[in-house]
Amino acid sequence: MIRIEITAASRVGCVRHQNEDMILVDSHYIRNDDYKTLVTLNHDDRFVVAVADGMGGHNRGDVASSDALRSLQFYYHDIPSGLNPSEFNEAVVGWLDYINNFVASKGRADEQYKGMGTTLVGIAYYFGDFYSMNCGDSRLYRWREGELKQLTTDHSLNNMLGTEKHTSIITNCIGGGCSTSYIDLVKMTDDIKIGDRYLLCSDGLTDMINDKQLANLISEEADANTLCNVAIAEGGLDNVSCCLMLIK
């Protein structure tokens, strides 16, 4: 049995007119709001948390992030029981193919949705195993004993070129005209420890708060809402969304 304390918050920021981010906490969707819950997971349970950042440079990023998370929630809870890690990976890749086709077909049918896309970063619990999921440049961090470590790799131009400064030009996403999207799915069960804190966030948070500041805030037991408020106070140039998970 595993207990996880979760806080989540999603804000529009100081510049944009609408929030294109969205957060999924199992069956709850968070946008322009905050949320807190405590979940208990047994071996046979399944549970998913994800942050999606709709692409602001394309039409209707808010629709893309919403479509991706609503599809993920339905699809994930419909995955057959008892899959091994390889079969689970195939199921997640199957979902990615489906949602990419869905987003693309929506753009072909209606000009206002043409080119829309979204990132997605998440943690999935499936019958005793934890998996990280990543498509795009939203991030998953682990805070352990005062040290903050990024667990995902940004699918972004600056990362491809080896430059440190984040440019928000992504090389992989759901929709957005990507015909060969991929998702990094990593089994992380053996590395989960009591006291770990996992942070899932859009780049609206990490562009405003550097890793050292994040580590200090998490060390002080800041919740997701506090992290969003700090990013907004630092300028809030983009939508700001994050989810904090404490393993208890």
Side-chain angles (χ1 to χ4, degrees):
M1 184 178 73
I2 296 174
R3 298 170 70 231
I4 307 177
E5 182 180 290
I6 300 172
T7 64
S10 179
R11 305 294 182 198
V12 72
C14 300
V15 176
R16 297 190 182 276
H17 299 295
Q18 66 176 356
N19 191 351
E20 297 182 322
D21 292 358
M22 183 177 274
I23 302 172
L24 168 66
V25 179
D26 197 40
S27 59
H28 297 270
Y29 302 94
I30 301 102
R31 174 180 281 161
N32 300 324
D33 202 359
D34 57 84
Y35 178 72
K36 182 177 182 178
T37 189
L38 177 66
V39 299
T40 301
L41 300 175
N42 296 305
H43 182 273
D44 293 339
D45 290 332
R46 60 181 76 194
F47 185 81
V48 63
V49 173
V51 173
D53 180 353
M55 294 169 63
H58 295 267
N59 295 334
R60 305 310 302 268
D62 58 322
V63 175
S65 58
S66 176
D67 283 349
L69 291 185
R70 294 183 190 280
S71 169
L72 175 64
Q73 197 277 336
F74 176 82
Y75 191 96
Y76 184 71
H77 286 279
D78 204 42
I79 292 175
S81 303
L83 300 183
N84 62 39
S86 177
E87 293 168 331
F88 182 74
N89 182 79
E90 290 179 9
V92 173
V93 170
W95 168 75
L96 180 66
D97 289 341
Y98 164 78
I99 189 60
N100 260 325
N101 290 331
F102 178 82
V103 170
S105 65
K106 205 165 186 176
R108 289 191 297 267
D110 191 330
E111 185 69 22
Q112 69 170 315
Y113 300 125
K114 185 176 181 180
M116 69 178 182
T118 183
T119 69
L120 183 136
V121 65
I123 290 180
Y125 179 83
Y126 175 82
F127 288 83
D129 282 321
F130 284 95
Y131 296 85
S132 65
M133 303 181 293
N134 180 49
C135 179
D137 66 346
S138 294
R139 293 179 177 178
L140 169 63
Y141 289 89
R142 181 192 68 212
W143 181 92
R144 176 182 289 166
E145 298 176 354
E147 181 181 354
L148 188 70
K149 180 180 180 180
Q150 183 178 341
L151 300 183
T152 52
T153 299
D154 294 350
H155 303 155
S156 60
L157 182 61
N158 63 288
N159 191 60
M160 181 183 294
L161 297 175
T163 58
E164 185 173 342
K165 184 174 176 58
H166 183 248
T167 62
S168 79
I169 300 174
I170 59 177
T171 56
N172 178 46
C173 67
I174 295 169
C178 289
S179 58
T180 56
S181 298
Y182 61 93
I183 190 164
D184 294 335
L185 185 70
V186 179
K187 185 180 175 183
M188 53 190 295
T189 312
D190 295 339
D191 199 35
I192 299 285
K193 294 185 178 181
I194 301 299
D196 284 353
R197 294 178 187 267
Y198 291 89
L199 169 66
L200 302 93
C201 61
S202 64
D203 63 355
L205 183 81
T206 51
D207 282 349
M208 296 292 100
I209 308 175
N210 64 40
D211 287 4
K212 183 177 180 179
Q213 291 174 299
L214 276 176
N216 289 338
L217 287 165
I218 295 173
S219 297
E220 296 167 359
E221 300 187 356
D223 62 8
N225 197 45
T226 299
L227 294 182
C228 286
N229 287 339
V230 171
I232 290 170
E234 291 291 329
L237 300 180
D238 198 354
N239 305 145
V240 186
S241 299
C242 66
C243 181
L244 269 171
M245 304 172 62
L246 168 62
I247 310 298
K248 306 188 76 171

